Amino acid sequence: MELAYYSDYAVRLVNTEEPTRNKDSLTSVEAVRELFGPNQQAARRATDTDVTRFRSVRARLRAVFEAADSGDETLAVDLLNSLMLEFPVSPQISGHETRDADGKPDWHMHLADHPSNATAGYAAIAAMGLAFHLTSYGVDRLGLCEASPCRNAYLDTSTNRSRRYCSDRCATRANVAAYRARKRLETERAAETGRSAETAQVTTPRTER
């Protein structure tokens, strides 16, 4: 499993809440377990107490994205370092059961957590994964969707650092809104130009013959 994969843990957790829409899907232990994806062993450790703990970690991870999105690199790094200090992990080389063409293990780096609870395990992996993404691609690759009122978190992996939205759906909605705004402005300007022309005709004195 590539280390970059773990950064998705942070995005998944942050996006369980949509503050501007007053929506929160992190309301049960089942919702917490779903965040672990295929890591069912870790998911089974979750209890009802982890719902509140996960929400606390979510707020801190969102703060990292907000700092990065506003251009405050130092704050984003400080917040992320604070999380990693509180929720440490141990990098390990792992081969699992995967074999290459020669029958050898497919060795790769793996983040092993030693949590006292499900929240600690998830937070450790999410923070470290986000840190790897930040240091590999840059702080400006952590963003919040520009399609109002979404503000979901995303990781920009585009080649030209051009991503601005969390999904194609939000990108389409934003483009449609921008198009409609331009057409509305054009209509208003045309109407204003027409009124100005009519006013000019009324106020311009006729030349006496």
Side-chain angles (χ1 to χ4, degrees), residues 23-103:
K23 292 184 178 181
D24 188 348
S25 63
L26 193 59
T27 58
S28 65
V29 66
E30 288 76 19
V32 168
R33 288 171 178 160
E34 288 178 3
L35 288 169
F36 285 92
N39 192 349
Q40 294 302 312
Q41 182 177 356
R44 282 193 291 270
R45 294 198 299 260
T47 66
D48 290 330
T49 307
D50 285 298
V51 176
T52 301
R53 292 171 177 163
F54 262 69
R55 286 178 172 177
S56 175
V57 172
R58 179 180 65 188
R60 295 171 67 182
L61 285 170
R62 175 170 282 279
V64 175
F65 279 93
E66 288 175 344
D69 189 65
S70 68
D72 195 337
E73 296 190 9
T74 301
L75 178 58
V77 170
D78 286 345
L79 292 171
L80 198 48
N81 276 335
S82 177
L83 280 164
M84 288 190 291
L85 285 172
E86 185 173 344
F87 303 106
V89 296
S90 300
Q92 293 180 349
I93 299 175
S94 176
H96 296 301
E97 300 300 325
T98 306
R99 300 280 172 169
D100 62 15
D102 298 324

Side-chain angles (χ1 to χ4, degrees), residues 121-197:
Y122 193 99
I125 291 174
M128 183 61 74
L130 200 56
F132 275 112
H133 191 94
L134 185 152
T135 54
S136 297
Y137 301 105
V139 178
D140 59 340
R141 294 299 187 118
L142 278 61
L144 293 173
C145 187
E146 292 184 3
S148 179
C150 179
R151 301 303 283 169
N152 272 351
Y154 66 83
L155 298 171
D156 185 3
T157 56
S158 64
T159 56
N160 58 354
R161 300 174 183 266
S162 61
R163 185 169 181 178
R164 296 293 180 270
Y165 307 102
C166 68
S167 64
D168 291 339
R169 180 181 178 181
C170 276
T172 299
R173 190 170 73 248
N175 289 334
V176 170
Y179 171 79
R180 289 175 176 172
R182 287 196 301 270
K183 297 300 291 185
R184 186 164 55 250
L185 181 60
E186 291 173 1
T187 301
E188 291 173 354
R189 286 177 175 173
E192 181 63 31
T193 300
R195 287 193 295 270
S196 298

